[in-house]
């Protein structure tokens, strides 16, 4: 059955090349189509949310987009570990500042 499907697909294949440069075959476009195409969202250079991104942000988006699912999970896990470590470091520094009395409110009395 698969062999007959392959033969049938070859029968349906067209190798005809259409030259769209010919004004006889392809006269001017339908009036209004080019204006509509110019206004369509597909022709806009970039979405509005991308206009606020810097080149480093776009690079990160492209990097994350090229990762496989397992690589992306590993990257997220690494970011979570880094955030946890930063929280521990901040708590340690806050405790240190508390013991050194550098976080006290200044007295207004002389």
């Amino acid at each position: 059955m698969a062999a007959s499907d392959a033969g049938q697909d070859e029968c349906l294949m067209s190798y005809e090349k259409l030259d769209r440069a010919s004004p006889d075959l392809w006269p001017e476009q339908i009036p209004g189509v080019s204006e509509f195409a110019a206004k369509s969202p597909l022709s806009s250079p970039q979405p509005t949310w991308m206009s606020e991104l810097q080149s480093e942000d776009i690079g990160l988006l492209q990097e994350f987009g090229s990762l496989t699912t397992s690589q992306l999970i590993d990257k997220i896990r690494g970011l979570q570990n880094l955030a946890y470590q930063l929280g521990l470091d901040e708590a340690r520094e806050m405790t240190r500042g508390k013991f050194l009395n550098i976080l006290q409110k200044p007295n207004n009395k002389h």
Side-chain angles (χ1 to χ4, degrees):
M1 185 169 172
S4 66
D5 288 342
Q8 189 177 23
D9 288 344
E10 290 176 9
C11 292
L12 297 176
M13 182 64 82
S14 172
Y15 296 103
E16 182 179 359
K17 302 259 188 233
L18 296 176
D19 182 18
R20 291 190 177 263
S22 169
D24 295 330
L25 291 175
W26 306 99
E28 63 183 273
Q29 294 184 354
I30 301 170
V33 170
S34 58
E35 291 85 17
F36 177 75
K39 294 178 185 177
S40 72
L42 295 176
S43 64
S44 65
Q46 65 181 4
T48 54
W49 60 269
M50 283 192 68
S51 62
E52 298 174 4
L53 296 178
Q54 297 175 355
S55 60
E56 295 90 18
D57 299 330
I58 294 172
L60 277 175
L61 284 174
Q62 290 173 346
E63 177 187 340
F64 291 149
S66 66
L67 297 176
T68 64
T69 304
S70 61
Q71 290 173 331
L72 188 59
I73 290 171
D74 289 341
K75 187 75 162 178
I76 291 170
R77 196 170 288 137
L79 290 172
Q80 287 174 334
N81 290 340
L82 179 62
Y84 180 76
Q85 188 62 45
L86 287 173
L88 290 177
D89 292 346
E90 182 180 10
R92 184 173 40 249
E93 292 299 320
M94 291 297 287
T95 303
R96 183 173 174 230
K98 183 179 176 182
F99 287 137
L100 293 174
N101 293 323
I102 60 173
L103 299 176
Q104 288 183 344
K105 292 181 184 177
N107 282 338
N108 291 336
K109 297 178 184 178
H110 296 297

